Amino acid sequence: MQSNYDPVNGENLSGPASSPGSASAVKRKLHPSVDLQFDRTWLHQLQERVDRNGPWDEWTMYQLAIEAEQSKLVESFDDLQCLRSLPSFEPMPHQISTARKVLHEMSGRAILADEVGLGKTIEAGLVLKEYMVRGLVKRALVLVPASLVLQWVRELNSKFGISAVAQKKDHSWAYDVVVASMDTAKREPHREKLLGQDYDMIIIDEAHKLKNKKTTNYQFVNLLRKKYCLLLTATPVQNDLDELYNLITLLKPGQLGGQSEFAANFVVDKRLPKNEEQLHEALSSVMIRNRRGDGGIQFTKRIVKNIPLSLSTEEQALYDAVTKFVRDRVDESEGDWSSLLSLVTLQREVCSSRDAVFLTLVNMFKKTAEDSPLRAKIWELVEVIRGINANTKAEKTMELVREMNDKVIIFTEYRATQEYLLQYFRSNNMVAVPYRGGMNRGKKDWMMDLFRGRAQVLIATEAGGEGINLQFCHHMINFDLPWNPMRVEQRIGRVHRLGQTSDVRIYNLCTIGTIEEHIVSLLHEKINLFELVIGELDHILERFEKSETLEQRLARLMLESGGNQDKLRTQIDELGNSLSRIRDEVELEEPIDMGAINAVMNAVGQTIEVRP
């Protein structure tokens, strides 16, 4: 006998329960085309669904469901939820701390002012990811120098799982997370399109370029409609405190009062603050600055080797001839240093390559009046250059590179020297690629990819000292050294940064009997540049550079020496001794994180002088 029991409703479908007024009769009326006593299709379908999705009643499955729900629980609002979704990426403790502070104390508007190499990009990525996980950010715009666009896209995609795209065509702006160059974004027709949109978050790298509120960059960023905003810069102050005021006003208008109020309350002169405790309090709600000297931030070693070289007879003759040319100009000028400082560049170029000084002399020749006797003297130097067929530094560089048998970045200040080295390496059957300002974004990225892949050598001008990350390389050659120690540190910071797993070996080439020999001695022995953390270097230079920069002081000493090497050596030794005294004073002071004055130094950043 066939059962009339309904397993869904728990009722017997036969007998009195099917009377017109019964519950089962009402249910049957809901399905008039189905006779439940004879059509069991629905029951088979239900069984198939159970087989497909079940079994639902096994204890193991129940436990797994419980664990799945527990994993979604938010135990503390202060925790970063995004870390759960980044299993293959482990940020540094200071980066996590920074992201938390931006989230909970700064309401998503902050200046990230860590020293070079501490991972400001990682911190910004953490903040962006956290806001996205919490559902507070959907649309984001990242504005960076053109050379860093693809690097940012790679970082956001690979480390944070953020589907960021590089802006290439007009339709790219429609994506949720777009990385673009500032130069492109601020130009029409892009400018109008971006100003007409609402962004949840805007991130700006190299934000010190916004320091002047009269610039197009500043005015454009100020007009962008944004809920959250991050400004990234290792140098929040470069020349005066007004720059800091302008950056903070971009983030939180009124945080420091009006411009005149800020000057009255916090500024003694353009680089010297007052009321440090109140200034620190105002800054602490909008700026975070982690330093290399802080505990818990570990770097590999720097192994520095200075390599003195003797110029060939022909090269020395050119250096002597250029030195005499410069000295004669000094005598004729009767001590007008301002018009002569540029001539020192000639001597620096000779120490780099004949090609560098050749181009400068040719340009000087073209700009000199045809009836001027100076033209003939310039051309005499050009003729001396024609007699030089070798480059002592290039030969030593090739020897070093072959000994390393590893990837190496070579830095030079001069484009002509870069071109010469590219040809020299090519003629010696070695693959070298260039990196310099003036290359478009695509070419710079292509050069980086070639260096990571098949090229052993990257030859970079100063454009390579900013922005790019080269942790996969741990050899660096300073073919010629800048006279600004901060630029030397920027070069080193490309390879000696967080993520570098090997000790970094730095080779400084210097020519004996030239200004280079004195510069290397000054930077390496007197300032101890290569062992200082960048914060200490900042503090030394800011105290030293009152009326003129170190570069200007060195150039003036060189001109005053009149070509007398002994006099020049004595003058530079005295300069080095004064820098050493300042370094000792800085080391004897209280740690930067103690006391209100030093707290301001930590918060404000590098070039504000706080007198003890």
Side-chain angles (χ1 to χ4, degrees):
M1 178 177 177
Q2 190 176 20
S3 172
N4 293 328
Y5 181 73
D6 183 346
V8 177
N9 298 309
E11 298 181 20
N12 194 317
L13 300 179
S14 60
S18 61
S19 60
S22 67
S24 62
V26 173
K27 289 178 177 132
R28 288 179 62 118
K29 289 178 182 178
L30 296 176
H31 307 280
S33 62
V34 179
D35 187 341
L36 296 181
Q37 287 184 304
F38 302 103
D39 188 345
R40 299 293 177 176
T41 304
W42 64 274
L43 188 57
H44 295 310
Q45 290 175 343
L46 178 61
Q47 186 62 50
E48 288 176 0
R49 189 176 302 168
V50 170
D51 293 340
R52 185 169 61 250
N53 298 330
W56 294 340
D57 56 349
E58 284 191 6
W59 178 248
T60 303
M61 298 299 291
Y62 173 76
Q63 286 181 308
L64 288 174
I66 290 293
E67 290 178 15
E69 291 302 316
Q70 286 177 335
S71 69
K72 299 177 184 178
L73 291 177
V74 178
E75 296 180 358
S76 170
F77 182 78
D78 292 336
D79 291 340
L80 293 184
Q81 308 307 313
C82 68
L83 296 179
R84 299 181 179 186
S85 60
L86 304 174
S88 60
F89 173 59
E90 187 173 344
M92 298 286 290
H94 75 274
Q95 295 166 343
I96 295 175
S97 174
T98 295
R100 283 177 175 164
K101 188 171 183 180
V102 172
L103 184 72
H104 299 300
E105 300 178 30
M106 299 183 169
S107 303
R109 287 178 171 251
I111 297 174
L112 305 183
D114 290 2
E115 290 175 356
V116 175
L118 293 184
K120 293 183 290 294
T121 304
I122 300 299
E123 293 167 355
L126 278 173
V127 173
L128 175 58
K129 182 70 172 181
E130 183 67 19
Y131 273 102
M132 294 179 78
V133 166
R134 294 183 182 224
L136 298 173
V137 167
K138 181 182 179 184
R139 299 216 65 202
L141 176 65
V142 184
L143 298 176
V144 304
S147 60
L148 304 182
V149 170
L150 289 188
Q151 179 175 299
W152 265 88
V153 171
R154 290 191 192 103
E155 292 266 314
L156 293 177
N157 278 275
S158 62
K159 286 188 171 67
F160 300 101
I162 296 174
S163 299
V165 299
Q167 190 279 329
K168 294 181 179 179
K169 302 291 183 180
D170 189 59
H171 64 80
S172 301
W173 299 118
Y175 288 91
D176 284 340
V177 182
V178 181
V179 183
S181 76
M182 176 70 78
D183 289 338
T184 298
K186 71 182 181 182
R187 293 197 309 262
E188 296 294 359
H190 309 295
R191 173 188 168 89
E192 183 179 1
K193 182 183 291 290
L194 296 183
L195 293 182
Q197 299 186 37
D198 291 310
Y199 285 99
D200 298 314
M201 178 174 285
I202 288 180
I203 299 173
I204 300 174
D205 199 1
E206 304 291 339
H208 51 269
K209 296 178 181 178
L210 302 175
K211 62 188 178 182
N212 186 345
K213 65 182 180 181
K214 296 180 181 179
T215 61
T216 306
N217 284 5
Y218 185 97
Q219 294 167 5
F220 170 66
V221 172
N222 194 40
L223 290 173
L224 285 169
R225 300 203 294 267
K226 49 197 176 289
K227 183 164 53 173
Y228 307 114
C229 183
L230 300 177
L231 303 180
L232 282 58
T233 173
T235 54
V237 183
Q238 290 179 303
N239 297 310
D240 60 62
L241 285 164
D242 281 345
E243 297 172 357
L244 180 64
Y245 174 84
N246 291 337
L247 285 180
I248 292 176
T249 301
L250 266 182
L251 287 176
K252 294 185 177 180
Q255 175 72 12
L256 299 175
Q259 185 111 32
S260 58
E261 182 183 355
F262 169 73
N265 290 337
F266 301 118
V267 181
V268 175
D269 61 38
K270 66 180 183 177
R271 297 178 68 182
L272 179 63
K274 64 180 180 181
N275 298 326
E276 290 89 354
E277 194 167 344
Q278 293 92 326
L279 179 57
H280 168 61
E281 185 178 348
L283 293 177
S284 63
S285 64
V286 75
M287 181 186 293
I288 303 173
R289 181 167 176 79
N290 295 305
R291 302 172 64 251
R292 286 184 179 228
D294 295 340
I297 303 177
Q298 300 296 324
F299 286 83
T300 57
K301 294 179 181 178
R302 292 180 180 182
I303 301 171
V304 183
K305 185 176 182 180
N306 296 327
I307 302 177
L309 300 169
S310 297
L311 293 173
S312 67
T313 303
E314 296 79 11
E315 290 171 322
Q316 188 65 53
L318 176 61
Y319 182 82
D320 293 340
V322 168
T323 300
K324 182 178 184 304
F325 176 81
V326 173
R327 188 168 63 248
D328 291 345
R329 303 289 77 70
V330 172
D331 294 340
E332 293 169 5
S333 70
E334 299 180 350
D336 181 11
W337 306 118
S338 59
S339 63
L340 294 170
L341 291 178
S342 61
L343 286 176
V344 176
T345 301
L346 288 172
Q347 287 169 288
R348 297 176 65 182
E349 288 172 336
V350 174
C351 296
S352 179
S353 72
R354 62 171 192 178
D355 301 64
V357 72
F358 174 79
L359 285 181
T360 301
L361 288 171
V362 168
N363 289 330
M364 189 182 296
F365 181 85
K366 292 177 180 178
K367 294 176 181 178
T368 304
E370 292 187 7
D371 58 348
S372 171
L374 192 60
R375 283 172 69 95
K377 296 177 181 178
I378 294 173
W379 202 251
E380 286 176 10
L381 295 176
V382 173
E383 292 298 329
V384 175
I385 291 174
R386 295 182 190 277
I388 300 175
N389 298 313
N391 185 308
T392 301
K393 277 189 173 182
E395 293 168 1
K396 184 61 178 180
T397 300
M398 176 62 70
E399 179 185 328
L400 288 171
V401 171
R402 293 195 187 282
E403 287 176 1
M404 293 172 195
N405 193 29
D406 199 356
K407 292 189 183 296
V408 58
I409 178 170
I410 301 171
F411 274 106
T412 176
E413 289 201 90
Y414 307 107
R415 169 76 179 273
T417 299
Q418 183 190 49
E419 291 293 339
Y420 171 81
L421 288 173
L422 287 169
Q423 295 296 329
Y424 182 79
F425 275 88
R426 190 174 295 121
S427 66
N428 283 272
N429 299 316
M430 186 170 290
V431 179
V433 294
Y435 191 93
R436 56 174 173 260
M439 288 180 172
N440 61 35
R441 185 174 82 199
K443 190 166 185 179
K444 285 181 176 178
D445 290 325
W446 181 31
M447 294 300 105
M448 284 294 100
D449 288 340
L450 287 175
F451 184 43
R452 285 188 187 90
R454 47 188 293 251
Q456 182 181 350
V457 180
L458 178 75
I459 304 174
T461 58
E462 293 310 310
E466 291 187 5
I468 59 173
N469 301 328
L470 299 165
Q471 292 98 321
F472 60 88
C473 171
H474 51 272
H475 293 281
M476 193 184 93
I477 297 174
N478 284 311
F479 194 84
D480 40 58
L481 275 172
W483 287 7
N484 183 338
M486 290 303 300
R487 286 171 57 197
V488 179
E489 180 60 37
Q490 284 179 333
R491 288 180 174 185
I492 299 170
R494 297 308 98 213
V495 293
H496 192 241
R497 58 194 299 115
L498 287 179
Q500 177 60 263
T501 57
S502 302
D503 291 340
V504 173
R505 299 180 182 275
I506 302 163
Y507 303 83
N508 301 315
L509 304 185
C510 64
T511 48
I512 298 173
T514 70
I515 185 63
E516 265 191 347
E517 181 181 6
H518 304 303
I519 297 302
V520 170
S521 172
L522 177 70
L523 297 181
H524 186 61
E525 297 173 13
K526 298 295 183 180
I527 302 181
N528 201 23
L529 167 67
F530 300 98
E531 283 73 36
L532 286 175
V533 297
I534 194 168
E536 292 171 345
L537 178 60
D538 295 338
H539 208 171
I540 292 169
L541 292 178
E542 86 199 11
R543 293 189 178 193
F544 176 80
E545 296 177 346
K546 303 296 184 184
S547 58
E548 59 184 351
T549 66
L550 179 59
E551 290 178 279
Q552 291 170 333
R553 181 81 64 90
L554 286 168
R556 183 166 58 79
L557 292 180
M558 190 168 179
L559 293 173
E560 288 175 344
S561 69
N564 186 320
Q565 289 295 311
D566 291 335
K567 181 179 179 181
L568 179 60
R569 183 177 291 106
T570 299
Q571 290 174 320
I572 290 182
D573 282 344
E574 292 174 357
L575 175 63
N577 290 335
S578 66
L579 287 166
S580 294
R581 285 193 296 271
I582 294 174
R583 185 193 64 203
D584 293 341
E585 291 172 6
V586 170
E587 291 176 350
L588 288 173
E589 289 179 359
E590 297 178 26
I592 284 185
D593 61 349
M594 295 177 63
I597 293 178
N598 288 327
V600 173
M601 191 55 194
N602 189 23
V604 173
Q606 34 220 62
T607 57
I608 297 180
E609 177 185 5
V610 181
R611 295 175 182 168

